[in-house]
Amino acid sequence: MLYKLKSTLFLLFFSVAFVCTGYGQDQIILNSGDTLTGRITRETKNLLYFRHNIKGITSDAKVEKSTVLKWTYHNVPDQGPDENDVPPIAMTTRNDRDQGVFPSFPAGERFRGSISGGLGYLLGDTDEAEKSLTGQGVPAEDAKNYYNELVLGYSGTASLHYRVSREYWIGAHYLGFYSKANMTTYFDDGGMYRFYGDIGERYFVNFTGLSLSSAVWLGRKKQWAYHAAYSVGPAFYRNETEVMHQQVLFKGVTLGQNLSLGLEYFITPKISVSTDFSLFRATLRKVKITTEGGTQEVDLDKESYENLSRADLTAGFVFYF
């Protein structure tokens, strides 16, 4: 008798577990990555009706299919007489708008990281700087070639953003720029002496800012994406100059802004290659000058402000995780 009782309890427990498993909750996964659980009671052309239970309180709700990535049935929905009702074809249905979505479409990933490198071009006017060199006896052609070399340099970027909605992200953005120029020429001290030797500069600008980014996926398969980002933060300037073996260091900090536009192409399920064009803007009004004799801070005249603005063209990789 005891054996039969144990067997009966076991079969009853097994049957309840089987039934509960067979009637699990339906799931609706939104484009934002959020998941709604409950029971889908009805499906129409544009809407999903569902019933969910929160702390013992049952309520009915509906959601537009345009906001849904996919939904999963564990129960057969109640089909009413509405002529727009659509019966379920399979246990899992994907939104018609996203049929054939590329596997790397980052619907639920919360973080976006990127790294890239390329070329940068300084946008400041170099006419006054060229005149200053020619005024010291440097040939005009040498002065022009010198600054043509200095304004073109190397740019590198890195960023990390957190998704706050389907298309918007906030985070941090880093940009680095480096260029250099060097020439061997002669100087005239304005009198009877002329000096011959090297002139050179190594030019650095590092920027780190708070960034707001937006991304829009393109095409039916969502294999392409367009993004834009705006960043604001401190820009750190450093210029190491050497004239006839005399070294001078210029340093300064100012507020910088960066606007970038880019296009992505997904190559693996969470990785894309990206090409970006960006405009960086900053103006230096105060500089710290260090020589062998010491350091002094100088407020620049308006005509002598150092324009750090530039345009960058970079390429790299974007990671979603």
Side-chain angles (χ1 to χ4, degrees), residues 8-319:
T8 303
L9 291 175
F10 174 78
L11 290 174
L12 178 62
F13 175 80
F14 180 82
S15 300
V16 171
F18 178 81
V19 171
C20 291
T21 302
Y23 292 94
Q25 290 186 317
D26 300 338
Q27 289 188 337
I28 301 175
I29 301 177
L30 303 178
N31 291 326
S32 64
D34 296 326
T35 300
L36 305 176
T37 58
R39 183 190 176 196
I40 299 175
T41 58
R42 191 157 64 92
E43 176 187 353
T44 67
K45 181 178 180 181
N46 299 314
L47 296 171
L48 288 174
Y49 295 82
F50 68 97
R51 181 173 298 142
H52 59 114
N53 186 294
I54 301 177
K55 295 182 179 179
I57 300 175
T58 301
S59 61
D60 293 322
K62 62 183 178 180
V63 62
E64 293 185 3
K65 285 185 177 179
S66 61
T67 65
V68 176
L69 177 66
K70 66 178 181 179
W71 58 93
T72 302
Y73 288 113
H74 290 284
N75 303 287
V76 179
D78 301 329
Q79 297 297 324
D82 193 329
E83 63 181 6
N84 291 322
D85 283 355
V86 180
I89 298 174
M91 289 295 290
T92 299
T93 308
R94 184 175 292 276
N95 194 333
D96 291 340
R97 184 174 59 84
D98 291 322
Q99 286 287 351
V101 168
F102 188 67
S104 64
F105 175 57
E109 284 71 21
R110 287 297 182 181
F111 290 93
R112 177 185 186 274
S114 69
I115 184 170
S116 63
L119 296 176
Y121 185 84
L122 295 172
L123 300 176
D125 190 354
T126 61
D127 289 346
E128 291 300 320
E130 290 179 24
K131 289 179 181 179
S132 176
L133 280 182
T134 56
Q136 298 177 63
V138 176
E141 184 177 356
D142 287 352
K144 185 175 183 63
N145 291 337
Y146 179 84
Y147 281 103
N148 285 342
E149 182 180 354
L150 186 65
V151 297
L152 184 63
Y154 302 98
S155 180
T157 72
S159 69
L160 180 64
H161 289 83
Y162 176 79
R163 182 199 294 268
V164 294
S165 70
R166 174 177 167 83
E167 297 176 354
Y168 292 96
W169 314 66
I170 59 173
H173 195 180
Y174 165 79
L175 292 90
F177 176 77
Y178 166 71
S179 71
K180 65 178 182 178
N182 189 80
M183 68 176 175
T184 302
T185 186
Y186 55 83
F187 280 88
D188 190 338
D189 68 347
M192 58 184 296
Y193 296 103
R194 175 170 288 187
F195 302 93
Y196 186 81
D198 293 328
I199 304 173
E201 290 183 54
R202 293 197 299 170
Y203 183 105
F204 304 85
V205 177
N206 290 293
F207 165 83
T208 303
L210 180 67
S211 177
L212 173 64
S213 177
S214 175
V216 177
W217 278 261
L218 307 173
R220 178 173 170 271
K221 293 187 177 181
K222 302 294 189 295
Q223 198 165 356
W224 293 87
Y226 161 83
H227 64 258
Y230 171 76
S231 309
V232 58
F236 302 90
Y237 167 78
R238 179 184 179 92
N239 189 315
E240 301 171 358
T241 301
E242 183 174 345
V243 179
M244 303 296 180
H245 304 292
Q246 300 296 317
Q247 297 178 341
V248 184
L249 175 63
F250 300 88
K251 295 176 66 177
V253 181
T254 189
L255 182 69
Q257 303 175 75
N258 188 75
L259 177 65
S260 63
L261 305 173
L263 186 66
E264 297 177 44
Y265 177 78
F266 287 89
I267 55 173
T268 69
K270 293 181 185 179
I271 301 176
S272 68
V273 291
S274 174
T275 300
D276 292 76
F277 174 77
S278 64
L279 289 173
F280 175 76
R281 186 175 184 273
T283 301
L284 192 65
R285 294 174 171 82
K286 182 183 293 187
V287 65
K288 185 180 293 186
I289 304 174
T290 302
T291 63
E292 292 181 355
T295 300
Q296 61 177 330
E297 197 168 86
V298 178
D299 292 321
L300 301 175
D301 297 332
K302 187 175 181 179
E303 296 77 14
S304 303
Y305 285 169
E306 185 73 24
N307 188 352
L308 309 181
S309 302
R310 70 176 189 273
D312 294 339
L313 182 62
T314 59
F317 296 93
V318 181
F319 307 91

